[in-house]
Amino acid sequence: MILTIKYFGMVAERTGRKEEELRLDEEACDLETLKSWWRRKYGLSNDMDSVQIAVNHALTDTCILQSGDEVAFLPPFAGG
Amino acid sequence: MTETAFIQGPVPAEKISDTIARHQSMAQIGAHSLFLGQVRADEVDGKTVTAIEYSAYEEMAGKELEKIREQTISEYGLISAQVYHSLGEVKTGQICFFVFTCSAHRRAANEACRFMVDEIKDKVPIFGKEIFEDESHQWKVNR
């Protein structure tokens, strides 16, 4: 499966990129697995707990990801 | 929404007067309420904010803004509602956020405007980098 991962604001600053493609052998994976991969890859620990995740433009806590999904790691909102 | 909610740089004063002028032909409107967010020169650890650089997850933010606008119109029985938010750099003293609600009577317009501002701050993925005078920065978090 292929996922598009997007980063914004403080998260993009920490990862040093705004977007990447993730290729996995599995046909599907859950959000927790993706979060663990992300924390391992970037060496981020609990200080990123305020990060919310949107899958295909909708915030979610738990879901099964399918190939083609767009996953965004979003820091706290600051509009206004 | 008939036009994009995002404006590159500060919201110009003309955008506000144009929005008011555009609604003058809607004779059933009896009340407008508007909110203007301005970039404040906050002081943090002895350093002063000189600007905020805004960015957004634009695809999602556009959808969320439209959802909030439609929900507000429906819940408060508004005749019209508009929202504009800046992207890119907005200096202190400049306007970064403009919400405009119109209804037959003042109460609905006032309450809807307040609701819309709170919902947008809470639910729309917009991010703000507060820039200090020495060019260092911190990330703004809505409270």
Side-chain angles (χ1 to χ4, degrees):
Chain A
M1 66 186 286
I2 302 173
L3 299 171
T4 302
I5 317 288
K6 292 191 168 190
Y7 305 115
F8 294 89
M10 177 179 58
V11 181
E13 193 174 77
R14 296 285 293 271
T15 57
R17 61 182 68 198
K18 291 184 171 175
E19 188 172 332
E20 67 185 308
E21 204 174 77
L22 175 63
R23 288 169 183 269
L24 297 170
D25 293 334
E26 296 84 351
E27 281 185 13
C29 85
D30 65 15
L31 209 51
E32 281 309 314
T33 308
L34 181 73
K35 279 157 95 173
S36 310
W37 161 83
W38 180 68
R39 286 204 174 92
R40 267 199 319 277
K41 175 163 180 181
Y42 292 105
L44 303 173
S45 54
N46 296 337
D47 60 340
M48 297 303 269
D49 275 354
S50 58
V51 171
Q52 299 186 88
I53 293 181
V55 175
N56 301 327
H57 307 149
L59 289 177
T60 180
D61 290 329
T62 164
C63 80
I64 302 297
L65 298 161
Q66 310 282 346
S67 194
D69 282 347
E70 179 174 302
V71 183
F73 285 73
L74 306 171
F77 299 166
Chain B
M1 209 168 291
T2 49
E3 58 178 310
T4 173
F6 290 113
I7 291 174
Q8 205 59 42
V11 178
E14 299 77 49
K15 179 60 93 180
I16 297 154
S17 55
D18 287 352
T19 304
I20 295 168
R22 267 195 293 123
H23 288 77
Q24 286 178 332
S25 59
M26 298 181 191
Q28 70 275 41
I29 294 173
H32 299 297
S33 185
L34 60 86
F35 175 85
L36 297 172
Q38 176 168 306
V39 174
R40 192 176 49 235
D42 272 349
E43 218 176 276
V44 182
D45 300 331
K47 295 189 292 185
T48 307
V49 171
T50 58
I52 296 180
E53 195 182 297
Y54 286 103
S55 58
Y57 183 13
E58 287 188 55
E59 300 93 328
M60 179 177 164
K63 285 183 192 173
E64 287 297 318
L65 282 172
E66 188 52 22
K67 207 193 293 176
I68 292 167
R69 196 180 79 92
E70 284 175 6
Q71 183 199 352
T72 310
I73 289 174
S74 145
E75 279 188 20
Y76 291 86
L78 299 182
I79 294 161
S80 178
Q82 297 291 319
V83 53
Y84 298 100
H85 199 291
S86 295
L87 291 179
E89 190 183 84
V90 183
K91 292 184 167 47
T92 51
Q94 294 182 318
I95 302 299
C96 56
F97 186 30
F98 171 32
V99 174
F100 184 78
T101 52
C102 319
S103 62
H105 302 283
R106 70 185 187 285
R107 194 179 302 273
N110 285 340
E111 288 174 2
C113 188
R114 186 179 181 152
F115 171 79
M116 215 164 147
V117 168
D118 289 348
E119 285 287 286
I120 291 167
K121 280 177 169 274
D122 191 41
K123 294 186 176 159
V124 180
I126 297 170
F127 315 102
K129 189 161 134 179
E130 293 177 317
I131 318 278
F132 297 106
E133 62 233 315
D134 62 358
E135 294 182 5
S136 61
H137 70 266
Q138 73 169 16
W139 290 94
K140 178 175 180 272
V141 176
N142 279 346
R143 289 175 176 82

